[in-house]
Amino acid sequence: MNPSKPRLLMMSCREATDLVSASLDRPLSIHERFMMRAHLLFCRACNEYSRQIGILEKILRLRRDERIDLQENGEIGLTEESREKILRSIRDEMRNRESGGPS
């Protein structure tokens, strides 16, 4: 943090990045939002962090929406071959346990 910043805006970079992250999960209070934005005006590193977090959030949201669309259309999931392989493994494991064999 630049020592020439006004005392009123003295939020540490750690506090600012914590608020940037928290803002993804919950609404910030007016005070938190003001302090974070004031810090971001003066601190290039935190401003860049905020920008990058925003980009990541947007990408993840788009991927989540894309995945939901694929699931709704039945275009995502296990193949029939994969399902059969899993079922065979489960059956084999159950037979081994019942016979006292290796698990």
Side-chain angles (χ1 to χ4, degrees):
M1 185 153 56
N2 186 340
S4 65
K5 288 182 192 174
R7 183 73 182 132
L8 174 65
L9 305 177
M10 293 297 274
M11 171 180 275
S12 72
C13 291
R14 176 61 183 235
E15 291 169 316
T17 56
D18 284 349
L19 286 178
V20 168
S21 297
S23 71
L24 300 174
D25 300 325
R26 65 173 174 84
L28 298 180
S29 70
I30 292 170
H31 180 259
E32 289 173 322
R33 195 168 52 247
F34 172 80
M35 292 297 288
M36 179 188 71
R37 287 182 179 172
H39 182 92
L40 295 178
L41 284 173
F42 291 97
C43 183
R44 284 187 193 164
C46 290
N47 192 23
E48 182 64 14
Y49 173 82
S50 178
R51 188 185 71 78
Q52 290 174 355
I53 289 293
I55 290 169
L56 287 173
E57 180 194 26
K58 185 179 281 188
I59 290 168
L60 291 172
R61 192 174 338 115
L62 290 170
R63 295 291 297 162
R64 183 195 66 222
D65 294 345
E66 182 181 291
R67 181 180 212 114
I68 290 169
D69 289 343
L70 290 173
Q71 286 174 331
E72 288 173 354
N73 295 331
E75 298 175 27
I76 193 169
L78 292 174
T79 63
E80 190 60 36
E81 180 182 347
S82 295
R83 279 192 199 102
E84 286 301 319
K85 189 174 182 180
I86 291 169
L87 285 173
R88 271 194 307 270
S89 294
I90 292 170
R91 287 183 193 122
D92 290 347
E93 180 65 25
M94 290 177 76
R95 270 190 234 113
N96 285 336
R97 286 181 185 221
E98 289 172 1
S99 68
S103 54

